Amino acid sequence: MRANGRPLNTTSLTLTAVRNLGILAHVDAGKTTVTERILFATGAIHKRGEVHHGTTVTDHDPQERDRGITIFAAAVSCTWSGHHLNLIDTPGHVDFSDEVERSLRVLDGAVAVFDAVAGVEPQSETVWRQADRHGVPRIAFVNKLDRPGADLDTAVASIRRRLGVVPLVVQLPIGREDDFTGVVDLVTMRALHWRAGSADFASGPVPEDLREEAGRRRRLLEETVAELHAEALEEFCADAALGDGTLARALRELTLRGDGVVVLCGSAYRNRGIEPLLDAVVAYLPAPADMPPVRGTADGAEQERAPDPAEPFAALAFKVTVTTTGRLTYLRVYAGTLRKGATVLDAATGRTERVGRILRVQADRHEDREEAVAGDIVAVIGLKSARAGTTLCAPGAPLVLEPPTVAEPVVSVAVEARHNADTGRLASALARLAEEDPSLVVRSDPETGQTVLSGLGELHLEVAAEKIRRGHGVEVVVGRPQVSYRETVVHGVTGLVHRHVKQDGGAGQFAHIVLDVAPLDEPVFEFRSTVVGGRVPQEYARAVEAGCRDALAEGPLGGHPVTGLRVTLTDGATHSKDSSEMAFRAAGRFGLREALRRSTVELLEPVVEVTVSVPEDGVGGVLGDLAARRGRVSGQTAEAGTAVVTATVPLAELFGYASRLRGRTQGRGVFTTRPAGLAPAPASVTAAVTGSVTDGLPAR
């Protein structure tokens, strides 16, 4: 059976017939293949693409096809069972987690894809926690059940153990590994079989040899649901079983509340399990109508706006793509209706812009639309200044929505044009990159005059440099990657007195402050005032805090940003004529700089958790290499001839590790990383980096 792929008139759909979902997973778990098979099963495409052939719809960028990984979040849409699905295929590599963050900010639900052999992998856990922060309901799809060593129960156990959730397994595989041919739906107690080499499937009774096991698993599912759901518990106590309707309703409600995660299984590459997954998306994941009203601020007061086409328009821009033909701004419409040619307000800046075109996006292909309504995800052309995180709303009803958070860069490289004549084009290309990807930061080093590009990882910067070469035709020279160090207070000072007095004729400047500086365990900055008796008015205390934040930009060791400290304003004095907010801000800035020079300060370096998978005969070499990179091994397991080593390693020591690992393991070793925070740097590293913020290319 195949779905009818005829497009729906989405403007006439109710909000209950729309699903906005993301596909989340660790790199190489099969996200893009799942997305491709969904498009094929729904009739949105008529030929299946393959990641290894570079022919998938969502991996349309040349670098994605060359590298065989998803780099940029891609939006596609399709229809299934009278429902319109907006899907975003997100990257699985840690260096592109900011793309995942911005996507999750605007999604209502998600499908988390897990490898049936590996279970929960490091980046799987990372994106799961990101979804937790946004409160996005999820269902799980255990993929690659046709692989040697695949086991649904083992994968489910890792989901329960590593993610701390209650898995609600609604399917039983038919066959193992190469013999995997279908699933038993434990909700309807029907068997689904896929024919070899075909995407078509047939539904029938549960095979005789699986009836006992299917019955046992159905009973376990009912018991688990009854423990979590009050209505299901009543029926289970009364009838000693749950009806199919009650079970389905309870699964949906548990999913929406986040009290359980529905788990399905299949093999996307072999087209097995996609149709039940689509049914589960429709049945269990929320529609825009199920979501609470969006909350924002207007004139300093919090307001709500319901997901209703009749409400005043409000949308959040979450992605910007700049092409040679113009800017595409991707929007999630939360309320109201947007029509082609309409004027919208940038709520943060107060500027108005005109929407030239509204597009339904299918990765790199677009379809014009006359309007977009609440619940839609679309792209628009015509906006000149909107960025990711910009709120667009009706001019007469301003509302500022919370923007997605932007990850802080941890790796930097110096870049310059190979040919002097291309310097201007390079500056334009870098500005466009930063506009498209807020996690890329471009700055000029004041000491060396170099242009420094900062990002989330070595691969992130490699992709950016290659995009400059391919997309803008500029040959660039890239310096050695540099990590973003921080400085922190180990032992602070108390009672530091600073007086800021300046008299150049006319009104002068006077500020007298007393500061205590103390370390914090967390890499944050805290400021508080304990001044009593009005000796320092509140507005001046806020100015002192602003000055202290100014001083955090450069620490005393080597000019690195300072974090992990608390500053307390304990006393002060004012002058009736010469005191001002400017004077107290200057006092805060210079006072904290003096306090930091008197404190004991140490250097912090970013560290990452590295998970290395190698053949067992290569473990010794890998452990020795990690030790040489100042790595601390935290775990080691072995299974089916493969060893998995987990270690915490300074980020600066991992540059070039991919090539080194391939060489040590004859190309059989792979590794993944995820940020693990900051750690004190040893004296040798402190001595090497102190006073040198950026190396790389020679200064001009």
Side-chain angles (χ1 to χ4, degrees):
M1 293 187 291
R2 288 288 308 282
N4 189 335
R6 291 177 296 179
L8 295 175
N9 180 6
T10 56
T11 58
S12 64
L13 287 174
T14 65
L15 289 176
T16 58
V18 176
R19 299 289 185 274
N20 295 315
L21 66 143
I23 311 296
L24 313 174
H26 184 89
V27 65
D28 203 33
K31 290 184 301 22
T32 300
T33 302
V34 168
T35 305
E36 189 77 8
R37 298 306 189 259
I38 286 176
L39 294 177
F40 181 73
T42 57
I45 60 175
H46 302 287
K47 183 179 180 181
R48 299 185 297 269
E50 304 294 349
V51 172
H52 52 278
H53 291 157
T55 54
T56 59
V57 171
T58 52
D59 282 356
H60 57 84
D61 186 271
Q63 288 203 70
E64 293 178 311
R65 294 181 171 179
D66 290 349
R67 298 175 186 269
I69 62 171
T70 300
I71 296 173
F72 309 105
V76 292
S77 59
C78 56
T79 60
W80 181 259
S81 297
H83 291 70
H84 182 80
L85 311 183
N86 293 313
L87 283 78
I88 297 182
D89 179 23
T90 64
H93 195 285
V94 65
D95 282 18
F96 309 105
S97 57
D98 199 63
E99 289 270 339
V100 183
E101 184 74 19
R102 284 183 277 126
S103 299
L104 284 170
R105 173 63 181 81
V106 300
L107 293 172
D108 301 327
V111 175
V113 181
F114 300 96
D115 188 312
V117 178
V120 177
E121 298 172 271
Q123 188 63 7
S124 307
E125 187 171 352
T126 298
V127 297
W128 190 273
R129 302 305 176 204
Q130 287 179 281
D132 280 342
R133 289 199 303 272
H134 290 278
V136 175
R138 280 140 283 169
I139 60 177
F141 182 71
V142 178
N143 191 28
K144 302 187 178 182
L145 273 181
D146 59 313
R147 287 185 57 195
D151 185 77
L152 175 62
D153 292 338
T154 302
V156 169
S158 73
I159 291 174
R160 179 185 294 106
R161 182 180 66 256
R162 296 198 59 176
L163 303 182
V165 299
V166 179
L168 305 170
V169 184
V170 297
Q171 292 178 340
L172 168 66
I174 300 175
R176 290 179 60 88
E177 300 179 353
D178 269 347
D179 295 327
F180 170 68
T181 59
V183 297
V184 174
D185 186 332
L186 299 178
V187 178
T188 63
M189 294 304 285
R190 299 284 292 174
L192 305 176
H193 296 271
W194 282 266
R195 294 200 302 271
S198 171
D200 295 339
F201 70 96
S203 175
V206 179
E208 183 69 32
D209 60 333
L210 289 177
R211 286 182 184 175
E212 182 179 348
E213 179 65 13
R216 186 185 69 82
R217 292 185 180 239
R218 165 67 183 239
R219 180 72 177 183
L220 180 61
L221 176 62
E222 291 178 357
E223 291 173 352
T224 305
V225 168
E227 290 176 0
L228 301 171
H229 192 275
E231 180 188 342
L233 179 60
E234 290 182 9
E235 183 173 321
F236 189 78
C237 291
D239 303 335
L242 294 180
D244 294 354
T246 301
L247 180 58
R249 284 194 304 274
L251 288 171
R252 175 176 173 79
E253 292 175 15
L254 291 173
T255 300
L256 297 186
R257 297 202 311 248
D259 292 337
V261 177
V262 171
V263 180
L264 302 97
C265 60
S267 169
Y269 181 70
R270 296 196 180 184
N271 306 289
R272 295 168 188 172
I274 299 302
E275 292 84 358
L277 175 62
L278 286 164
D279 290 337
V281 165
V282 169
Y284 305 128
L285 290 182
D290 298 314
M291 306 304 292
V294 67
R295 303 169 74 93
T297 57
D299 298 325
E302 190 173 273
Q303 292 187 7
E304 292 184 347
R305 201 158 291 179
D308 185 342
E311 286 276 312
F313 172 71
L316 185 70
F318 66 95
K319 183 179 175 68
V320 174
T321 302
V322 184
T323 66
T324 54
T325 57
R327 298 172 81 253
L328 274 180
T329 305
Y330 291 76
L331 305 178
R332 163 64 192 268
V333 182
Y334 284 99
T337 301
L338 176 66
R339 293 182 174 85
K340 185 170 67 173
T343 298
V344 296
L345 172 71
D346 182 333
T349 65
R351 297 178 57 179
T352 57
E353 296 196 72
R354 182 178 177 274
V355 174
R357 296 168 62 192
I358 301 174
L359 306 174
R360 172 74 67 194
V361 181
Q362 197 78 343
D364 59 341
R365 294 180 287 115
H366 314 117
E367 172 191 338
D368 279 282
R369 298 186 59 196
E370 292 299 315
E371 65 179 26
V373 300
D376 270 338
I377 293 179
V378 296
V380 298
I381 294 178
L383 305 183
K384 297 180 180 178
S385 61
R387 301 290 187 267
T390 296
T391 301
L392 301 173
C393 53
L399 184 73
V400 179
L401 304 177
E402 181 183 357
T405 59
V406 179
E408 186 176 351
V410 295
V411 181
S412 300
V413 292
V415 294
E416 68 176 22
R418 185 176 296 276
H419 308 291
N420 289 337
D422 289 335
T423 300
R425 294 171 61 200
L426 174 61
S428 175
L430 289 170
R432 185 174 293 183
L433 278 180
E435 184 178 348
E436 293 182 343
D437 186 351
S439 61
L440 285 172
V441 176
V442 181
R443 63 180 176 85
S444 177
D445 189 292
E447 295 184 6
T448 65
Q450 295 172 321
T451 298
V452 178
L453 178 64
S454 303
L456 302 183
E458 197 172 1
L459 180 60
H460 191 203
L461 297 179
E462 282 182 19
V463 168
E466 189 62 25
K467 197 167 186 180
I468 294 173
R469 296 185 184 102
R470 295 189 183 191
H472 302 274
V474 178
E475 285 297 320
V476 293
V477 179
V478 180
R480 185 181 184 275
Q482 301 292 311
V483 302
S484 296
Y485 293 96
R486 295 290 184 268
E487 298 177 24
T488 192
V489 172
V490 180
H491 300 292
V493 296
T494 58
L496 182 132
V497 179
H498 183 81
R499 290 168 59 89
H500 178 71
V501 181
K502 187 175 182 182
Q503 191 72 46
D504 293 328
Q509 295 183 25
F510 177 87
H512 176 94
I513 60 174
V514 181
L515 300 178
D516 289 351
V517 176
L520 288 177
D521 292 333
E522 297 294 322
V524 295
F525 169 69
E526 290 183 5
F527 179 89
R528 62 185 181 183
S529 173
T530 60
V531 179
V532 295
R535 292 177 60 81
V536 179
Q538 188 61 35
E539 63 270 22
Y540 290 168
R542 287 195 293 267
V544 173
E545 179 181 359
C548 290
R549 291 187 182 276
D550 294 340
L552 296 176
E554 294 184 3
L557 281 181
H560 308 287
V562 183
T563 188
L565 72 160
R566 176 190 294 118
V567 175
T568 305
L569 176 64
T570 60
D571 200 0
T574 62
H575 187 277
S576 58
K577 292 184 179 180
D578 293 345
S579 290
S580 64
E581 291 186 20
M582 181 174 65
F584 273 87
R585 181 164 185 162
R589 180 169 63 254
F590 294 120
L592 182 54
R593 286 182 181 175
E594 182 181 351
L596 290 174
R597 286 194 295 270
R598 297 188 184 186
S599 300
T600 303
V601 179
E602 71 178 359
L603 191 72
L604 298 177
E605 60 180 348
V607 295
V608 295
E609 182 184 271
V610 183
T611 302
V612 187
S613 298
V614 296
E616 287 187 333
D617 58 5
V619 171
V622 167
L623 292 175
D625 191 37
L626 289 174
R629 296 173 185 270
R630 297 191 285 122
R632 291 183 292 106
V633 175
S634 56
Q636 181 177 338
T637 60
E639 186 175 343
T642 299
V644 178
V645 178
T646 304
T648 302
V649 184
L651 179 62
E653 301 290 347
L654 281 182
F655 297 137
Y657 183 59
S659 299
R660 179 75 168 180
L661 179 64
R662 284 194 295 267
R664 282 185 172 272
T665 61
Q666 292 78 48
R668 296 178 295 168
V670 295
F671 78 101
T672 59
T673 64
R674 64 173 177 174
L678 297 166
S684 58
V685 174
T686 301
V689 303
T690 295
S692 176
V693 179
T694 304
D695 292 325
L697 298 172
R700 287 186 174 276

